[in-house]
Amino acid sequence: MTHPSAELARYVSELDIESIPQPVLRRAEELLLDTLASILAGSHGRPVLSIAAYARAMGPAEGPAQDMAARRGTSPVFAAMVNAAATHMVEQDDVHNGSVFHPAAVVFPPAIATAQALGRSGRDLLAATVAGYEAGIRIGEFLGRTHYTIFHTTGTAGTLAAAVATGRLLGLDPAQMLHALGSAGTQAAGLWEFLRDGADSKQLHTAKAAADGMMAAWLARDGFTGASRILEGPQGMAAGMSRDADPARLTDGLGTRWALLETSFKYHASCRHTHPAADALLALVTEHDLHIEDIGDVVAHVHQGAIDVLGPVVDPVSVHQSKFCMGVVLGLIARHRRAGLPEFDEALSDPAIADFRQRVSMRLDPEIDAAYPRRWIGKVTVRTRDGRSLESRVDTPKGDPDNTLSRAEIEDKALRLGCYQGAATQEEVARLIAQVWGLADCERVGWFL
Amino acid sequence: MTHPSAELARYVSELDIESIPQPVLRRAEELLLDTLASILAGSHGRPVLSIAAYARAMGPAEGPAQDMAARRGTSPVFAAMVNAAATHMVEQDDVHNGSVFHPAAVVFPPAIATAQALGRSGRDLLAATVAGYEAGIRIGEFLGRTHYTIFHTTGTAGTLAAAVATGRLLGLDPAQMLHALGSAGTQAAGLWEFLRDGADSKQLHTAKAAADGMMAAWLARDGFTGASRILEGPQGMAAGMSRDADPARLTDGLGTRWALLETSFKYHASCRHTHPAADALLALVTEHDLHIEDIGDVVAHVHQGAIDVLGPVVDPVSVHQSKFCMGVVLGLIARHRRAGLPEFDEALSDPAIADFRQRVSMRLDPEIDAAYPRRWIGKVTVRTRDGRSLESRVDTPKGDPDNTLSRAEIEDKALRLGCYQGAATQEEVARLIAQVWGLADCERVGWFL
């Protein structure tokens, strides 16, 4: 079989770690640390605690995989489910611009849980991570922009990414891997409708993508079969859930292009769609030394996807929802020159932010929209109280591959996230950092913390 | 809130068993027996055994809910998952014509598991069943025919039906029930692509609909929120997965129309889309006393949905796939005047069937297509070897509400299914029958068998 799904399955099944360039493996370690820290920061979130309670009610009381939120052992699927819910809770995990997909939240939790349960090596975990990223990102790109207008790609493409990462650690051959893709794709789900209510579904989407993809891979190892063309077939994902799917994207540059290197670290603690404008405003207020009271109104010039996702959030009532509100995000930048976790915790009770966000609007910008999703350009126009009209533009948001974080910055971010709301101590996070930087030499992936 | 999703949630939350007509409750018992027998008949299926092995690997080793396939206790979600996979395995569970939806497979397993785990009464289980049927069928009708061309409605609408049935037993109030619908709808999945390969996804779809719907309800009880308009909202299920959704169907006749009474029992052990033509051919060969060797070729006149689902199955290689092959089904009728489980087990090794199915074709019939899905009309044209052209027509397939099975016929079917491949003894099935007929007086739903 030579169709795109089969080619992709063969590639990720046969990928040899020796063929993966060193910078890709090092970036995979950095992404792992960013993920573990995100899990800690998210572990106290109410939706995460609900999912953890469900795991406790339905899963075994102990097991070989680590539920990092509850710091207990359980079976791999419940560890993956809870950790994936936690990863995405505080919106600080990574994003791939071209596919508008958050790979870490759905790749690492099932890969870690499976590696722990089977006693696989650090190198095996890194190879599985790379396989999951390379497949998931291409599947997200394949599904296209029309898919993303309704479906949460991290939930849908994420189910297949989780299956690939898990399948690598289970040693699936190409045929089994194709079955795993089939069983994952037919479970793929996640709708944006929840944003209108500020509901908890985002945590459910990452939790279920991780768990369902894992199930697909475990079933495939046992001989359970799936559709061979779940992605591009006439009754497959693209047929049902996209109008601009491009099968060529599924195998784009396999073996030469490393999509994992294209992911961005999140710098602000908000939806990625707010970051370009936030960076542009940060540059502007810094350059002109403006304070929140100096600003009359702000127009954020954005791509259509930002309007689709952020547009429904007109009156945020929760911390989580406020991370999807352009007005709150720009308000925090104007007020604190930061939009981190502590700033968001105070945002909704701050009258200055409530006032400011009424004066922020989004406007579709043809140039930005045409460049998206390959490039996420940020532009803002600020009218000051004293009558000036100022403009600012950022071509590459902070954290993007061309403007990435150093290992020191990543460690600093990990410390801030890991210690958020007392999830871990500074000493624990320091040990975690050392453990991750030494992962490639680790014979068996043990528990973290 | 008065939109259709909220109305539906309120109705199923507040439904009083005293308001449910006795014939509806009695039919619910009959459907329960049909389901338990289907579980037994399907419990040896390879895909079911894979899912049962997964449940064993990931779930607790014991628990208050009964995995009937393995005859062991486990947590509710794994019991629901395995039993739902088994229910649909031999294609003998019920179907609702208007929504092309198999309610039993996704309603009973999570309801039984939850009732067992919480020690609820037989009446509670019956009320939960009715609630699950009334909601799930209306949601299937709402999603419409365009949905069904790509998506397996039993997987998608089934997730919400499972949430409703579970939510009733958890005592969800209307607001919680609406959250459960939101969390269920955003997990809803299931693509027909697997049919092209004869893959195992159908069991995965029912297993996951039952398990995911249950999760949605349990999370809602814990305060986990979902989209309030997951069905009809601008980024909800209809927006993403249908082009002809009709919100009025969601609340059609609530409280006066009992959709549960509209479901059909399956008489032949094959995909429901083959039944009208099979009944028409059975009438024809009986009337004209034809044997398989007398028949030259057969044209089955069908609705478009039959072509969509059965059309891809041109060369069946498994027993399961042969149940989706019009040629095999009509071949069994011509040869045995029966298309039950034992006949299907022998079909693929029978050269007479292999020869016959090459001479069967399907043709779209405008009258049948216009009547579908409200009515499933069967028409066949047979050309005999001796040159006659014969026609036959059936307006109501056997097992439909207007041509239903008696309790004696249902007991007989239960005995045949329950004892299939030695799943249970005749004595066990006889006790099961008595247990189900006495369910309404049962203070606590115990284990079956």
Side-chain angles (χ1 to χ4, degrees), chain A residues 93-431:
Chain A
D93 51 318
D94 73 343
V95 63
H96 181 267
N97 289 349
S99 54
V100 204
F101 169 55
H102 301 282
V106 292
V107 167
F108 282 111
I112 293 168
T114 305
Q116 288 172 336
L118 303 185
R120 305 300 292 266
S121 72
R123 281 164 59 84
D124 289 338
L125 175 55
L126 291 174
T129 299
V130 175
Y133 269 69
E134 298 304 317
I137 288 168
R138 285 173 175 82
I139 291 166
E141 291 174 335
F142 156 78
L143 290 169
R145 291 180 69 169
T146 58
H147 178 73
Y148 188 76
T149 59
I150 305 280
F151 293 94
H152 184 195
T153 304
T154 301
T156 56
T159 307
L160 293 99
V164 166
T166 307
R168 276 288 305 195
L169 289 156
L170 295 174
L172 300 189
D173 66 26
Q176 292 171 319
M177 191 67 87
L178 187 58
H179 288 305
L181 286 179
S183 291
T186 207
Q187 297 179 73
L191 295 159
W192 281 121
E193 182 62 26
F194 76 92
L195 281 183
R196 219 168 306 274
D197 304 288
D200 298 332
S201 310
K202 213 173 202 196
Q203 279 61 62
L204 186 60
H205 293 171
T206 53
K208 288 301 304 311
D212 294 349
M214 173 179 276
M215 181 175 182
W218 283 70
L219 288 176
R221 187 175 67 157
D222 197 39
F224 195 94
T225 62
S228 60
R229 294 169 190 256
I230 197 66
L231 290 158
E232 73 276 37
Q235 289 168 304
M237 286 180 74
M241 304 158 93
S242 174
R243 292 188 311 279
D244 64 339
D246 177 4
R249 305 306 299 269
L250 289 172
T251 54
D252 179 55
L254 282 178
T256 53
R257 169 195 165 205
W258 298 95
L260 180 141
L261 290 178
E262 300 165 2
T263 60
S264 303
F265 292 99
K266 274 206 181 173
Y267 190 63
H268 309 294
S270 57
C271 174
R272 186 68 178 174
H273 289 296
T274 66
H275 289 210
D279 282 351
L281 183 65
L282 181 58
L284 188 145
V285 297
T286 306
E287 180 188 345
H288 296 278
D289 193 25
L290 296 181
H291 299 277
I292 193 165
E293 60 273 15
D294 302 325
I295 295 174
D297 55 55
V298 183
V299 176
H301 306 275
V302 297
H303 52 276
Q304 183 62 45
I307 293 172
D308 292 340
V309 173
L310 310 173
V313 188
V314 289
D315 191 20
V317 295
S318 69
V319 169
H320 185 259
Q321 210 175 11
S322 69
K323 294 175 178 177
F324 288 81
C325 177
M326 183 66 91
V328 170
V329 175
L330 297 190
L332 292 176
I333 295 292
R335 185 158 172 73
H336 305 291
R337 299 194 180 181
R338 263 190 94 81
L341 297 179
E343 289 77 27
F344 273 105
D345 286 344
E346 306 298 325
L348 288 181
S349 57
D350 183 343
I353 300 294
D355 174 61
F356 187 89
R357 70 177 165 81
Q358 309 296 336
R359 290 179 276 119
V360 173
S361 59
M362 287 190 287
R363 190 176 297 164
L364 181 65
D365 184 290
E367 182 208 356
I368 292 174
D369 194 55
Y372 175 90
R374 292 229 159 242
R375 290 169 62 213
W376 293 49
I377 301 169
K379 283 204 284 195
V380 293
T381 305
V382 169
R383 208 168 49 183
T384 61
R385 297 274 192 201
D386 60 12
R388 286 174 291 164
S389 178
L390 304 173
E391 300 203 346
S392 171
R393 175 193 177 105
V394 166
D395 279 337
T396 305
K398 177 77 173 166
D400 262 22
D402 293 339
N403 189 11
T404 194
L405 308 186
S406 66
R407 280 218 165 181
E409 287 174 314
I410 290 165
E411 291 183 5
D412 179 59
K413 181 183 167 191
L415 272 165
R416 283 186 287 113
L417 289 180
C419 300
Y420 178 64
Q421 294 183 339
T425 65
Q426 292 222 332
E427 294 68 33
E428 285 177 321
V429 179
R431 282 201 299 277

Side-chain angles (χ1 to χ4, degrees), chain B residues 210-223:
Chain B
D212 295 349
M214 174 179 275
M215 181 175 182
W218 283 69
L219 289 176
R221 187 175 68 159
D222 197 39

Side-chain angles (χ1 to χ4, degrees), chain B residues 30-383:
Chain B
E30 292 162 6
L31 292 165
L32 171 61
L33 177 59
D34 203 51
T35 303
L36 295 171
S38 289
I39 292 171
L40 289 171
S43 61
H44 293 166
R46 181 186 48 73
V48 178
L49 295 175
S50 281
I51 290 172
Y54 180 78
R56 215 179 270 277
M58 296 295 178
E62 51 193 30
Q66 185 184 21
D67 166 350
M68 286 187 65
R71 296 212 194 182
R72 72 182 189 99
T74 183
S75 66
V77 73
F78 288 105
M81 184 187 285
V82 175
N83 294 338
T87 304
H88 208 43
M89 184 68 222
V90 298
E91 301 281 347
Q92 288 279 268
D93 51 317
D94 72 342
V95 63
H96 182 267
N97 289 348
S99 53
V100 204
F101 169 55
H102 300 283
V106 292
V107 168
F108 282 111
I112 293 168
T114 305
Q116 288 172 336
L118 303 184
R120 305 299 293 264
S121 72
R123 280 165 59 86
D124 290 338
L125 175 56
L126 291 174
T129 299
V130 175
Y133 268 69
E134 299 305 316
I137 289 168
R138 285 173 175 81
I139 290 166
E141 290 174 336
F142 156 77
L143 290 168
R145 290 180 69 170
T146 60
H147 178 74
Y148 188 76
T149 59
I150 305 281
F151 293 93
H152 184 193
T153 304
T154 301
T156 55
T159 307
L160 293 100
V164 166
T166 308
R168 275 289 305 195
L169 289 156
L170 294 174
L172 300 189
D173 67 27
Q176 291 171 318
M177 190 67 87
L178 187 57
H179 288 305
L181 286 179
S183 291
T186 206
Q187 296 181 73
L191 295 159
W192 281 121
E193 182 63 25
F194 76 92
L195 280 183
R196 220 168 306 275
D197 304 288
D200 298 332
S201 309
K202 211 171 203 196
Q203 279 61 62
L204 186 60
H205 293 172
T206 53
K208 289 299 305 311
D212 295 349
M214 174 179 275
M215 181 175 182
W218 283 69
L219 289 176
R221 187 175 68 159
D222 197 39
F224 195 94
T225 62
S228 61
R229 294 170 192 256
I230 197 67
L231 289 158
E232 72 276 38
Q235 289 168 304
M237 286 181 74
M241 304 158 93
S242 175
R243 293 187 311 280
D244 64 338
D246 177 3
R249 306 305 299 269
L250 290 172
T251 54
D252 178 55
L254 283 177
T256 53
R257 169 194 164 205
W258 297 94
L260 180 141
L261 290 178
E262 300 164 3
T263 60
S264 303
F265 292 98
K266 274 205 180 172
Y267 189 63
H268 309 294
S270 57
C271 174
R272 186 67 177 176
H273 290 296
T274 66
H275 290 209
D279 282 350
L281 183 64
L282 181 57
L284 188 146
V285 297
T286 306
E287 180 188 345
H288 296 278
D289 193 26
L290 295 181
H291 299 278
I292 192 165
E293 59 274 13
D294 302 325
I295 296 175
D297 55 55
V298 182
V299 177
H301 306 275
V302 297
H303 52 277
Q304 183 62 45
I307 292 172
D308 292 341
V309 173
L310 310 173
V313 187
V314 288
D315 191 19
V317 295
S318 68
V319 170
H320 185 259
Q321 210 175 10
S322 70
K323 295 174 179 177
F324 288 82
C325 176
M326 184 67 91
V328 170
V329 175
L330 296 190
L332 292 176
I333 295 291
R335 185 159 171 74
H336 305 291
R337 300 194 179 181
R338 260 190 98 80
L341 297 179
E343 289 77 27
F344 273 105
D345 285 345
E346 305 298 324
L348 288 181
S349 56
D350 183 343
I353 300 294
D355 174 62
F356 187 89
R357 71 177 164 80
Q358 308 297 335
R359 291 180 274 120
V360 172
S361 58
M362 286 189 287
R363 189 175 298 164
L364 181 65
D365 184 291
E367 182 208 356
I368 293 174
D369 195 56
Y372 175 89
R374 291 228 158 244
R375 289 169 61 213
W376 293 48
I377 301 169
K379 281 206 285 197
V380 294
T381 305
V382 169
R383 208 168 50 181

Side-chain angles (χ1 to χ4, degrees), chain A residues 49-112:
Chain A
L49 294 175
S50 280
I51 290 172
Y54 180 77
R56 215 180 271 277
M58 296 295 177
E62 50 192 33
Q66 185 184 21
D67 167 350
M68 285 187 65
R71 295 211 194 184
R72 71 182 190 99
T74 184
S75 66
V77 72
F78 289 105
M81 185 187 284
V82 176
N83 293 338
T87 304
H88 207 44
M89 183 70 222
V90 297
E91 301 280 348
Q92 287 280 268
D93 51 318
D94 73 343
V95 63
H96 181 267
N97 289 349
S99 54
V100 204
F101 169 55
H102 301 282
V106 292
V107 167
F108 282 111
I112 293 168

Side-chain angles (χ1 to χ4, degrees), chain B residues 402-443:
Chain B
D402 293 339
N403 188 11
T404 193
L405 308 186
S406 66
R407 280 218 163 182
E409 286 175 314
I410 291 165
E411 291 183 6
D412 178 59
K413 181 183 168 191
L415 271 166
R416 282 186 287 114
L417 289 180
C419 300
Y420 178 64
Q421 295 183 340
T425 64
Q426 293 221 334
E427 294 67 35
E428 285 177 321
V429 179
R431 283 200 300 276
L432 189 66
I433 292 169
Q435 199 176 348
V436 172
W437 294 161
L439 186 74
D441 300 321
C442 172
E443 282 303 310

